[in-house]
Amino acid sequence: MKQLSRIVRSVKAFSQEMSRQRDSAEAHTRLLPRPKLGLAFGGGFARGLAHIGILKVLEEEKIPVDFIGGTSVGAVIGAAYASGVGPKEMEEIAQLVRFKDFARWTISRFGMCSNDRMSGFLDRLVRVKKFEELRIPLVVAATDFATGEGVLFNSGCLIDAVRASCAYPGMFLPVSIDGRLLVDGLLGYPVPTKPLKEMGADRVIAVHLSAHWVKSRGPRHVFEVIGQCFSIAQDKMRAGWEAHSDVVLEPAVGDFGYDSFTRASDLIRIGADSIREVIPTIRSWYAGTELDIAPALPAPVAEPIIAPAEAPLAVAPATLPEAAA
């Protein structure tokens, strides 16, 4: 009996040790929930096409976006992406977009242009009509012209909210929504980082399109006077939004004009370059989580095809194009 009792105790001790080791292994392999990522896109007219390059790289790196906040052109890009328009499609559209596609000159005491054409432009660009239909939660920033308060939209009509966010003072007419006269969100939320944290983002990437409108030569017209004033004001407001960001991207868009839509490819490339520099930092946020992101692998290089000696490839003589008249 004593020998049997010893065997039972040994088996029991062995079982307990195996259970302890199994629990320890599970504890080491148990993954934490991944952090939720928010993108805060600032304004900048044509310079905002750099946002497309940033989205392009995030998709290449398989880094998911959970929340988007947008001001002005940042609201346009954010709304398109949140509705399901991918970076590649946006890049193709950007090659064709011009100022006249969403604005028209007008005579008014309140501005030189109307952005009423933007309704049609957004109808064609954005795949849904309401915030509630978006695949990624979006917040759009505008400014109450009467009070100066920042106004945030995350429900209801998407297109009206984006139009209001793009109503740059002095250039575009203000937009009226629910009895409030609204202008560009740059005065309330130049880069809407704080709203993203309030929506539940654990990490926020802020994209600030820092670029002065006027160089040493001085302003050329009233738009550059207005633009330079707001550019200075945005720089003074930087501390407010920067405090709620984990990474700040500032694509090198200083040499581009507010209307440089013809340089879309360059702007998209510059946006992509700006985020590639911080991809290791962003990837580190996911270490040990259920989405532990490995570096993106380069595309495989195809082996060169070499024709056998006994069957050489026939090469047709090159034909030169005729000279243009």
Side-chain angles (χ1 to χ4, degrees), residues 5 22 46 71 134 142 144 316:
S5 178
R22 183 172 61 253
T71 291
L134 294 168
D144 187 311

Side-chain angles (χ1 to χ4, degrees), residues 64-146:
V65 177
D66 299 287
F67 305 98
I68 302 176
T71 291
S72 200
V73 67
V76 176
I77 302 296
Y81 188 69
S83 75
V85 182
K88 180 174 174 53
E89 186 177 351
M90 279 194 274
E91 187 171 9
E92 293 171 355
I93 295 170
Q95 305 294 335
L96 306 174
V97 167
R98 298 295 180 265
F99 188 76
K100 63 180 177 59
D101 293 323
F102 54 84
R104 65 177 177 83
W105 297 106
T106 188
I107 299 175
S108 170
R109 295 175 298 162
F110 305 118
M112 300 290 188
C113 300
S114 169
N115 68 358
D116 54 1
R117 287 183 182 173
M118 187 168 286
S119 295
F121 174 75
L122 292 172
D123 273 332
R124 297 187 297 273
L125 175 65
V126 180
R127 292 178 176 168
V128 302
K129 298 296 184 285
K130 294 184 177 181
F131 281 88
E132 292 82 359
E133 300 169 339
L134 294 168
R135 67 182 184 91
I136 299 173
L138 171 73
V139 61
V140 169
T143 306
D144 187 311
F145 184 68

